Amino acid sequence: MAPQLDSYFQQVDALSDAFIERLRQAVAIPSVSSEAARRPDVVRMGQFLADELTKLGAHVELRPLGKQPGTDLDLPPVVLARYGNDKNKRTILVYGHYDVQPAQKTDGWDTEPFELTIMPDGRMCGRGSTDDKGPVLGWLNAIEAHKSAGIEFPVNLLMCFEGMEEYGSEGLDDLINAEAKKFFADADAVCISDNYWLGTERPCLTYGLRGCNYYSVEVWGPGADLHSGVFGGTAQEPMTDLVRIMSSLVDTNGNILIPGIAEQVAPVTAEEEGLYDDISFTMETLHESLGSKTTIFDDKKRTLMARWRQPSLSLHGIEGAFSAPGAKTVIPAKVIGKFSIRTVPNMDIDKTNEAVYRYVEDVFKKLGSKNSMKVYAQHTGKWWVASPKHWNFSAAAKATERVWGVKPDFTREGGSIPVTLTFEQATGKNVLLLPMGSSTDGAHSINEKLDKRNYIEGIKLLGAYLHYVAEEPMN
Amino acid sequence: MAPQLDSYFQQVDALSDAFIERLRQAVAIPSVSSEAARRPDVVRMGQFLADELTKLGAHVELRPLGKQPGTDLDLPPVVLARYGNDKNKRTILVYGHYDVQPAQKTDGWDTEPFELTIMPDGRMCGRGSTDDKGPVLGWLNAIEAHKSAGIEFPVNLLMCFEGMEEYGSEGLDDLINAEAKKFFADADAVCISDNYWLGTERPCLTYGLRGCNYYSVEVWGPGADLHSGVFGGTAQEPMTDLVRIMSSLVDTNGNILIPGIAEQVAPVTAEEEGLYDDISFTMETLHESLGSKTTIFDDKKRTLMARWRQPSLSLHGIEGAFSAPGAKTVIPAKVIGKFSIRTVPNMDIDKTNEAVYRYVEDVFKKLGSKNSMKVYAQHTGKWWVASPKHWNFSAAAKATERVWGVKPDFTREGGSIPVTLTFEQATGKNVLLLPMGSSTDGAHSINEKLDKRNYIEGIKLLGAYLHYVAEEPMN
């Protein structure tokens, strides 16, 4: 039986001005986590959330995370909250973050970044509007609309809002692991609203992310940087060796040339083959976001597969070489090449590392160089794939169809959101990524915005999702 | 008939304390040309030279060079001077520079860089001691010793001392070209003392320098830097293309892979073959200055030939890519690779550029990339080779043997000293490079020094050279 949602939806519409006002207040707090001078604003933003939640009747705890490593700066607290404690209801754990990327008007913004500005076309511009203050407030707004409509809240809601997401989520993993059997103990599923639709029209549910292994290759020889006039032609140059190694890793069409990578990739099943055709995505949208037509593939299906379910290798740069404008005739004594591999099922971190190390060492050996070389992983992070057939997803799909009138795309993403895997591993529960914003929101760019429609319908979606979750049979 | 030099030599020894005092005063003026705040010190150093020269009876002119391009800063003046104006004597034009490299005690100096500190082993430590205040004062000291000994000065001496050598000799070329038929009109030959012995024991005369063509290769595609999670595997990456181009230019053993370069190199003659065996140079010295044993060749002859008379190609770095420590998962939208080719006789600048452009375009075309590419020369500079059989060199060789008791090495250098070619082309006269310091002086490093022996014997050498020049038959 479909849940009764009409009065909830009406209440969201009726309160929409108040919800936009709440977002305006949040955007006005410049909670930039990467700037030490803004740390008090980040803390103030956490307190704002705690106060709002308390007023709504939630139990709130501000959890300190200690000092930021390498500094005397206190990390902003994690806001933990519980709304409802009924043993007969399911418990849903939601995550979001209240810090934002840096922003200055002079970066090229059309409006003041820390003033929510509503355009005639419905764009609500401001830093953090879509990433991630809008979605975080979505949960608060859903509670308020229920209270105001006099409808029973359908689940127990656990909330975990952090203030360091844009700066590496310092300290969060430890907290999640520590609270898995405590504050988060009775969570039945997890929902994260911190990603985006694939385009601008069709909502999506995201069930997979690629992992990322980041490598350094160091080559060194001379005792110090050399003058190329004096030593050019007489010394073996580390840069020459490094560039030859880097050129052996990947080709122009993105083919990874390292043996032992492709072999680990899960084969495409007939069922998966069919999934891509219906996805709301066009090459025109991709060209627009890319700013050019320099794509590897010309069709949607191979492009989506390359982004979601194939590994990729990108060369990021070289440390230690001349990198400024102009000309400098230096022979760098030590250079460090940086590259990363986006990983997918069923790639294994250790097997992948070993394949990379073996190959790079082999290529270097064949150069016959007297220089020294070492290759190592700077950091590794596993891919994540959830079951989209889990009741957590089917509830979200039904809610999406109810609110938006279309079936959502089931998507994966090329990038990583490490906290996703942390929640899955710590709680052992299904994790759903349920986005509010669309692909054009410009989360980390100038003129970040959240469309008013996505905000208001998104609040309805979050509430509706909780109602469907409450009714969905176990699977 | 060998010139009578004994009383001159005696006078140099007698005045050695005064000459060291003069160097102490010069080193105490921190004439760092690359630091705007030090510009008054550079000007003060030029004035110091002008005053000393005037006291010695020279005619001095301070020539302004206008503003430093792109700044409101006056360039330091060129000190032009003439000592003697006897139509029956030869006229020798000498060049040096009175500015120095930056230096701070905290860079790792054992002594205060702008206080000349004399060590028990005879090292006179201080910024500018060997590069190039010692040699510049050498000419002044030679005049003083002649006056004081009552010996007639053997030639007319024209002097050109600049204050911007360590910052690209801004404005100097124009002045040299303008004065070629004026202040420098009666020069019969040119002598530059701004380089070093090949080792520490045997003096040398330098008759050749390599040229330098510096290239940029730009590759671009996307409209802005991309997130490798989102776009990795779907977009053709400029960095991948650039690294493949750079890896095709040169191999680990320094072989230039661009057709049309080796073909231009002058063949080794039987006469040249024999030159290398006697040169005072060991692989041990090279390993010491390199700080490692990562040389391409294991023998002296091939190493010297590679440095002096073979072209070389060095990869300097990449602009636009990630170059900081740590990890950043960016796909750079536009990257600019930098490399240079050291050129030798009989390479032609235009033919070399064309060979580079054609090859790079061909390699890029074969990649089949949708990205865009352009390759161009940032700057070019011709190689220089003088005739070591000219009377200017034979006079210097005889003077060296007289002062040091050994025949000098006739050497070339791998780097470029562009002013050498400018003087040759502007005056049409033979140019000699006559070094005072040795290979361990550390001209641009911390703990720069000039050995007391090299300074005092070097003053004798400069004076002796002028006497032999006066007697050498035309050739």
Side-chain angles (χ1 to χ4, degrees):
Chain A
M1 190 188 75
Q4 294 303 314
L5 292 165
D6 293 347
S7 61
Y8 169 64
F9 290 171
Q10 283 159 15
Q11 202 58 41
V12 172
D13 286 327
L15 289 170
S16 61
D17 285 350
F19 294 161
I20 291 169
E21 171 59 21
R22 183 174 273 144
L23 183 59
R24 197 192 61 70
Q25 290 175 31
V27 167
I29 303 172
S31 52
V32 179
S33 51
S34 62
E35 296 172 3
R38 294 289 202 191
R39 188 56 51 89
D41 293 314
V42 184
V43 173
R44 186 155 58 93
M45 180 64 206
Q47 191 60 53
F48 169 80
L49 278 184
D51 293 347
E52 295 287 298
L53 282 162
T54 304
K55 277 187 250 171
L56 291 170
H59 164 77
V60 182
E61 300 182 16
L62 287 175
R63 290 295 178 83
L65 293 178
K67 298 282 180 196
Q68 185 169 335
T71 73
D72 262 344
L73 218 53
D74 282 322
L75 287 166
V78 171
V79 179
L80 293 183
R82 166 181 282 276
Y83 185 72
N85 201 354
D86 183 340
K87 295 280 177 234
N88 298 314
K89 290 179 181 171
R90 277 184 170 151
T91 300
I92 300 297
L93 169 58
V94 303
Y95 160 89
H97 63 91
Y98 62 82
D99 62 320
V100 298
Q101 284 276 318
Q104 292 191 321
K105 182 80 158 55
T106 50
D107 293 341
W109 283 71
D110 295 328
T111 61
E112 285 297 332
F114 295 107
E115 287 177 18
L116 191 72
T117 308
I118 303 172
M119 301 299 188
D121 61 2
R123 282 181 296 134
M124 303 193 296
C125 299
R127 175 57 88 217
S129 54
T130 195
D131 181 21
D132 186 35
K133 290 179 175 175
V136 164
L137 296 184
W139 300 110
L140 277 65
N141 296 337
I143 294 172
E144 183 172 348
H146 277 86
K147 287 170 67 94
S148 161
I151 311 167
E152 188 181 351
F153 208 70
V155 301
N156 303 313
L157 195 64
L158 293 176
M159 289 161 271
C160 175
F161 301 136
E162 69 155 322
M164 284 298 280
E165 198 271 348
E166 304 292 5
Y167 203 68
S169 292
E170 287 285 6
L172 186 68
D173 277 10
D174 289 345
L175 178 127
I176 294 172
N177 287 317
E179 297 297 341
K181 301 295 168 217
K182 296 180 190 167
F183 202 93
F184 305 149
D186 57 341
D188 295 304
V190 181
C191 179
I192 297 175
S193 187
D194 185 22
N195 64 318
Y196 307 92
W197 298 357
L198 199 54
T200 56
E201 289 308 316
R202 179 102 64 97
C204 69
L205 305 178
T206 303
Y207 66 98
L209 299 166
R210 294 196 288 185
C212 183
N213 290 7
Y214 201 103
Y215 299 97
S216 289
V217 185
E218 300 187 9
V219 184
W220 69 97
D225 287 359
L226 304 173
H227 188 290
S228 66
V230 180
F231 290 98
T234 67
Q236 293 188 337
E237 305 186 11
M239 184 72 179
T240 302
D241 293 344
L242 178 63
V243 162
R244 290 177 88 84
I245 290 170
M246 291 176 82
S247 74
S248 73
L249 300 172
V250 62
D251 72 15
T252 291
N253 286 316
N255 298 300
I256 299 175
L257 307 176
I258 303 168
I261 304 290
E263 292 81 344
Q264 295 184 64
V265 177
V268 182
T269 61
E271 189 191 349
E272 186 191 336
E273 280 274 1
L275 280 178
Y276 299 95
D277 299 326
D278 291 335
I279 301 285
S280 174
F281 178 84
T282 66
M283 291 305 287
E284 287 66 38
T285 312
L286 179 63
H287 291 153
E288 197 182 324
S289 60
L290 186 60
S292 71
K293 296 191 173 179
T294 55
T295 52
I296 292 174
F297 304 108
D298 295 325
D299 63 288
K300 174 174 93 171
K301 183 172 174 178
R302 285 190 298 168
T303 296
L304 286 178
M305 291 177 83
R307 180 190 291 193
W308 292 353
R309 62 107 58 232
Q310 295 293 349
S312 64
L313 191 155
S314 295
L315 305 173
H316 303 299
I318 297 174
E319 179 185 343
F322 176 56
S323 60
K328 191 176 171 190
T329 55
V330 69
I331 297 175
K334 178 181 179 179
V335 282
I336 308 174
K338 314 278 180 79
F339 68 96
S340 67
I341 298 178
R342 297 284 164 174
T343 59
V344 296
N346 298 318
M347 288 172 68
D348 177 77
I349 288 178
D350 291 336
K351 268 172 79 171
T352 302
N353 286 350
E354 280 157 30
V356 168
Y357 302 160
R358 198 181 320 120
Y359 179 75
V360 170
E361 278 156 13
D362 192 47
V363 169
F364 181 69
K365 199 170 171 189
K366 283 185 185 146
L367 294 180
S369 175
K370 296 175 186 170
N371 290 316
S372 302
M373 190 281 294
K374 74 175 173 189
V375 52
Y376 56 92
Q378 274 203 50
H379 62 73
T380 59
K382 197 172 174 289
W383 45 267
W384 165 78
V385 177
S387 165
K389 297 188 190 298
H390 189 275
W391 56 259
N392 198 25
F393 278 84
S394 48
K398 287 173 187 170
T400 302
E401 199 170 351
R402 177 77 173 267
V403 171
W404 288 102
V406 290
K407 286 188 195 301
D409 283 332
F410 279 81
T411 65
R412 288 159 69 169
E413 289 198 359
S416 54
I417 307 179
V419 75
T420 311
L421 195 67
T422 307
F423 274 116
E424 182 185 271
Q425 291 175 336
T427 65
K429 304 298 178 182
N430 179 279
V431 181
L432 158 74
L433 299 184
L434 179 59
M436 178 180 272
S438 80
S439 70
T440 54
D441 284 0
H444 287 197
S445 307
I446 55 168
N447 300 324
E448 176 182 348
K449 60 88 178 170
L450 176 62
D451 291 330
K452 186 175 165 183
R453 185 178 75 135
N454 280 56
Y455 185 51
I456 301 302
E457 300 307 305
I459 296 164
K460 294 180 189 169
L461 175 63
L462 297 183
Y465 154 72
L466 297 176
H467 281 274
Y468 280 97
V469 151
E471 302 202 349
E472 205 63 11
M474 282 278 192
N475 61 353
Chain B
M1 191 189 73
Q4 294 303 313
L5 291 166
D6 292 348
S7 61
Y8 168 64
F9 290 170
Q10 283 159 16
Q11 200 58 40
V12 172
D13 286 327
L15 289 170
S16 62
D17 285 349
F19 294 160
I20 290 169
E21 170 60 22
R22 183 174 273 145
L23 181 60
R24 197 192 60 70
Q25 291 175 30
V27 166
I29 303 173
S31 52
V32 179
S33 50
S34 64
E35 297 172 1
R38 294 290 202 191
R39 188 58 49 89
D41 292 315
V42 184
V43 173
R44 187 154 59 93
M45 180 63 207
Q47 191 61 53
F48 170 80
L49 278 183
D51 293 347
E52 294 288 297
L53 281 162
T54 304
K55 277 188 250 171
L56 291 169
H59 164 77
V60 182
E61 299 182 17
L62 286 175
R63 290 295 178 84
L65 293 177
K67 299 281 179 195
Q68 185 169 336
T71 74
D72 262 345
L73 217 54
D74 282 322
L75 288 166
V78 171
V79 179
L80 292 184
R82 166 182 283 277
Y83 185 73
N85 200 354
D86 182 340
K87 296 276 178 237
N88 297 315
K89 290 179 182 171
R90 276 185 171 152
T91 301
I92 300 296
L93 168 58
V94 303
Y95 160 88
H97 64 90
Y98 62 81
D99 63 319
V100 297
Q101 284 276 318
Q104 291 192 321
K105 182 79 158 57
T106 51
D107 294 341
W109 283 71
D110 294 330
T111 62
E112 286 296 332
F114 295 107
E115 288 177 17
L116 190 73
T117 308
I118 302 172
M119 302 298 187
D121 61 2
R123 281 180 297 134
M124 304 193 296
C125 299
R127 176 56 88 217
S129 55
T130 194
D131 182 19
D132 186 34
K133 290 179 176 176
V136 164
L137 297 184
W139 300 110
L140 277 65
N141 297 337
I143 294 172
E144 182 173 349
H146 277 86
K147 285 170 69 94
S148 161
I151 311 167
E152 187 182 351
F153 208 70
V155 301
N156 303 313
L157 194 66
L158 294 175
M159 288 160 272
C160 174
F161 301 136
E162 69 154 322
M164 284 298 280
E165 198 271 348
E166 303 292 4
Y167 203 68
S169 292
E170 288 284 6
L172 186 68
D173 278 10
D174 289 345
L175 178 127
I176 293 173
N177 287 317
E179 298 296 342
K181 301 294 169 217
K182 295 181 190 166
F183 202 92
F184 305 150
D186 58 341
D188 294 302
V190 181
C191 179
I192 297 175
S193 186
D194 185 24
N195 64 319
Y196 308 92
W197 297 357
L198 199 55
T200 56
E201 289 307 316
R202 178 102 63 99
C204 69
L205 305 178
T206 302
Y207 66 98
L209 299 166
R210 293 198 288 186
C212 183
N213 290 6
Y214 200 103
Y215 299 97
S216 288
V217 185
E218 299 187 10
V219 184
W220 69 97
D225 286 359
L226 305 172
H227 188 289
S228 67
V230 180
F231 289 97
T234 67
Q236 292 188 335
E237 305 185 11
M239 185 72 179
T240 302
D241 293 343
L242 178 62
V243 162
R244 290 177 88 84
I245 290 170
M246 291 176 82
S247 74
S248 73
L249 299 173
V250 62
D251 72 14
T252 291
N253 285 315
N255 298 300
I256 299 176
L257 307 176
I258 303 168
I261 303 290
E263 292 81 343
Q264 296 183 65
V265 177
V268 182
T269 60
E271 189 190 350
E272 185 190 338
E273 279 275 1
L275 281 178
Y276 298 95
D277 299 325
D278 291 334
I279 301 286
S280 172
F281 177 85
T282 66
M283 291 306 288
E284 287 65 39
T285 311
L286 178 63
H287 291 153
E288 198 183 323
S289 59
L290 186 60
S292 71
K293 295 191 173 179
T294 55
T295 50
I296 292 174
F297 305 107
D298 295 325
D299 63 288
K300 172 173 96 171
K301 182 172 174 179
R302 284 190 299 168
T303 296
L304 286 178
M305 289 176 85
R307 181 190 289 194
W308 292 353
R309 60 108 58 232
Q310 295 293 349
S312 64
L313 191 155
S314 294
L315 304 174
H316 304 298
I318 297 174
E319 178 185 343
F322 176 56
S323 60
K328 190 177 172 191
T329 56
V330 68
I331 297 175
K334 179 182 180 179
V335 282
I336 309 174
K338 315 278 178 82
F339 67 96
S340 67
I341 299 179
R342 296 284 164 173
T343 58
V344 295
N346 298 318
M347 289 172 67
D348 177 77
I349 287 178
D350 292 336
K351 267 172 80 171
T352 302
N353 287 350
E354 280 157 30
V356 169
Y357 301 160
R358 198 182 320 120
Y359 179 76
V360 170
E361 278 156 13
D362 191 48
V363 169
F364 181 69
K365 199 171 170 188
K366 283 185 185 144
L367 294 179
S369 174
K370 296 175 186 171
N371 290 317
S372 302
M373 189 281 295
K374 73 175 175 189
V375 52
Y376 55 92
Q378 276 201 51
H379 62 71
T380 58
K382 198 171 174 289
W383 44 266
W384 165 77
V385 177
S387 166
K389 297 189 189 300
H390 188 277
W391 55 259
N392 197 26
F393 278 83
S394 47
K398 288 174 185 168
T400 301
E401 199 170 352
R402 177 77 173 266
V403 171
W404 289 103
V406 289
K407 286 187 196 302
D409 283 331
F410 280 80
T411 65
R412 287 159 68 168
E413 289 198 0
S416 54
I417 306 177
V419 74
T420 310
L421 195 66
T422 306
F423 274 116
E424 182 185 272
Q425 291 176 335
T427 65
K429 304 297 178 183
N430 180 280
V431 181
L432 158 74
L433 298 184
L434 179 59
M436 177 179 272
S438 80
S439 71
T440 55
D441 285 0
H444 288 197
S445 307
I446 56 169
N447 300 324
E448 177 182 345
K449 59 89 178 171
L450 175 63
D451 290 330
K452 186 175 165 184
R453 184 179 76 134
N454 280 56
Y455 185 51
I456 301 302
E457 301 306 305
I459 296 164
K460 294 180 189 169
L461 175 63
L462 297 183
Y465 154 71
L466 297 175
H467 281 272
Y468 279 97
V469 151
E471 301 202 349
E472 203 65 9
M474 282 278 194
N475 61 352

